[in-house]
Amino acid sequence: MSKKSSVAIGVLGFQGDIEENVAAVKQAAKEMKASATVQLVRYPEEMEKMDGLILPGGESTVQSSLAAIQQSLPVLKKRIAEGMPVLGTCAGMIMLSRRAYDRVVGDTKQKMIGNLDIVVERNAFGRQNDSFEADLDIGIVGKGKFKGIFIRAPAVSEVGKDVEVIAKHGSKIVAVKQKNIIGTAFHPELADDARMHKYFLKMVLDYRKGKA
Ligand code: GLN
């Protein structure tokens, strides 16, 4: 954990929409007038220093395999279990989950971080509808609709008892929160709306305060 006055947020830097998350954190910090640094992280020693971490959308199997090669999965698991706030969007939510499957191939047997007590169905919206936008109600970020951008998105098919459902699209669960962990099936970093990243930054600021 950083000892400086600003909070340190890492974005898992292997693959996916990394820069978009960096920009969204900067926008959130600006709107909140909060002091936050944001950097790419790949290695265990970098992850040890962060106050919060974002796992971006992209391709979950690629990201978790690369993280595993760098021996980063155990330290991610440990930091999240200790209470470090984490936001996983799309592929990031898949990596955080307890189990992932695909309707066609079944259990995808990919490497997981696993702290989030949910089961996800990958590519749950099918080929016909593999990318789309939908206006979502996400009470924790405020009243106005949030533009959900879904790209070959997963959906949550099972939630454990400590998991709060924070957004649905039709009958499908598309965002969840379990204590310090947020997972979204869509990409808030692409929405040009910093509210989810602001909510997350507030969690990080509170976490840091609790540790001070
Ligand atoms: N389908 C991708 C996966 O399973 C997730 C897509 C995304 O992050 N946009 O990793």
Side-chain angles (χ1 to χ4, degrees), residues 2 4-10 22 24-30 32-39 51 197 200-202 204-205 208:
S2 136
K4 303 181 298 289
S5 58
S6 59
V7 292
I9 295 189
V22 168
V25 171
K26 287 185 178 161
Q27 182 63 28
K30 190 173 159 197
M32 290 167 73
K33 296 188 171 50
S35 178
T37 61
V38 54
Q39 68 174 83
D51 299 303
H197 286 76
F200 174 68
L201 180 53
K202 172 82 169 57
V204 179
L205 292 164
R208 195 35 202 280

Side-chain angles (χ1 to χ4, degrees), residues 15-17 56-63 89-95 100 102 108 110 121-124 130 149-154 184-187 189-190:
Q15 186 270 339
D17 47 10
E59 176 50 50
S60 57
T61 51
V62 173
Q63 292 193 48
T89 77
C90 202
M93 179 177 80
I94 296 172
M95 286 191 281
D102 180 292
T108 50
Q110 63 200 90
E121 179 181 351
R122 288 178 67 193
N123 304 308
D130 65 356
I149 299 180
F150 293 81
I151 304 169
R152 294 183 304 284
T184 68
F186 50 93
H187 293 264
E189 66 277 17
L190 301 180

